[in-house]
Amino acid sequence: LSSEMGVTFQLKAYASIPKFEDDILNGGPDFAYMNPYHAVMAKDAQGYDPIVKDKTELVGILVVNKAGGVKSLKDLNGQSIVFPSPNAFAASLYMRALLTEKEKIRFTPKYVKTHQNVYRNVAVGVAPAGGGVQKTLEKEDPSLKDQLSVFYKTPGSASHPVAAHSRISKQFRKNAERAILKLAADPKNKDLFKNIQIPAPVSASYRKDYFPLKQLGLEKYVEI
């Protein structure tokens, strides 16, 4: 992207999702790759505007161990369920809201930092169920996937966007959007975009793609 646009982008990684959240809510990065509900939080806090997202919808999944004896959601009543982090959107935030409000399941959430840890906790029987997303489960080794069953899914939502802070000019945002889409259109970059989980980027719109998530009433499940 730096080469394509003739400017220098510096990549910043975070030790944890909460540290990332703190930085975007304080307007640290100029551009950030964030989950769909982070896009709502970041828009409200700092005016971040999504510029691209993957065309495939994001779907949260609840996995169980095939040999664990869970036959219905009611079997999870009173149990501990593992999630990557409180504000991971489809894997945790939306999933916890649906289990609590729609399915009327009482459970204790336990946060294990990553999707990979969720799947392993369920596979070895530490937890009866855990939240993830289809994309991360597909990346796991077949021997692990064979031990797990997708038991419940969230409705689909717009996928993780790359968003630009409001201090970035509209022209520069548009230039960055065009550059990303141009790079993605080059067949030699196919694996690069697949590895960052945006295999087919398209333009994103806050109003169309992410504002509807604000209407879900998930703010009471957000932990900062």
Side-chain angles (χ1 to χ4, degrees):
L1 188 58
S2 293
S3 177
E4 180 66 30
M5 293 187 67
V7 296
T8 300
F9 285 89
Q10 294 178 317
L11 185 63
K12 184 173 184 180
Y14 296 83
S16 69
I17 292 174
K19 284 187 166 110
F20 166 74
E21 289 170 348
D22 285 344
D23 208 19
I24 62 168
L25 295 181
N26 286 308
D30 296 315
F31 290 85
Y33 175 64
M34 58 186 69
N35 81 39
Y37 203 75
H38 281 151
V40 174
M41 295 165 64
K43 180 73 168 179
D44 288 346
Q46 293 286 338
Y48 278 96
D49 209 30
I51 58 172
V52 297
K53 65 181 179 71
D54 191 68
K55 72 176 183 181
T56 303
E57 285 193 321
L58 180 66
V59 176
I61 58 174
L62 188 73
V63 299
V64 299
N65 190 310
K66 287 179 180 177
V70 176
K71 303 298 181 187
S72 75
L73 287 174
K74 295 300 180 187
D75 292 334
L76 297 175
N77 247 325
Q79 302 264 29
S80 290
I81 300 178
V82 288
F83 302 94
S85 65
N87 301 336
F89 173 66
S92 177
L93 192 65
Y94 200 7
M95 182 65 74
R96 288 185 290 119
L98 288 169
L99 292 176
T100 301
E101 298 184 13
K102 182 181 178 184
E103 307 301 339
K104 310 300 182 187
I105 303 299
R106 293 178 296 102
F107 61 93
T108 300
K110 182 179 178 183
Y111 304 112
V112 294
K113 297 186 177 179
T114 68
H115 290 229
Q116 291 83 358
N117 288 347
V118 166
Y119 302 138
R120 281 152 184 77
N121 269 263
V122 177
V124 301
V126 171
V133 298
Q134 197 66 50
K135 282 183 178 180
T136 57
L137 182 62
E138 287 170 1
K139 287 180 174 290
E140 293 291 347
D141 189 272
S143 63
L144 178 70
K145 286 192 288 186
D146 285 346
Q147 299 177 63
L148 304 174
S149 175
V150 175
F151 202 67
Y152 186 76
K153 293 183 178 182
T154 70
S157 69
S159 61
H160 293 49
V162 174
H165 193 278
S166 56
R167 65 176 164 265
I168 305 302
S169 72
K170 288 185 179 179
Q171 187 59 57
F172 194 90
R173 282 184 243 173
K174 181 55 69 174
N175 291 346
E177 176 188 335
R178 288 174 181 153
I180 292 169
L181 296 178
K182 179 183 175 183
L183 288 167
D186 189 333
K188 75 173 184 285
N189 294 327
K190 183 177 180 180
D191 286 344
L192 184 152
F193 280 85
K194 182 179 179 182
N195 286 336
I196 59 170
Q197 298 189 42
I198 316 179
V202 294
S203 297
S205 159
Y206 177 78
R207 175 61 56 178
K208 175 177 174 287
D209 298 318
Y210 302 101
F211 180 73
L213 303 182
K214 195 171 183 178
Q215 312 307 306
L216 294 175
L218 300 179
E219 58 276 358
K220 60 186 167 217
Y221 296 96
V222 172
E223 296 184 23
I224 298 295

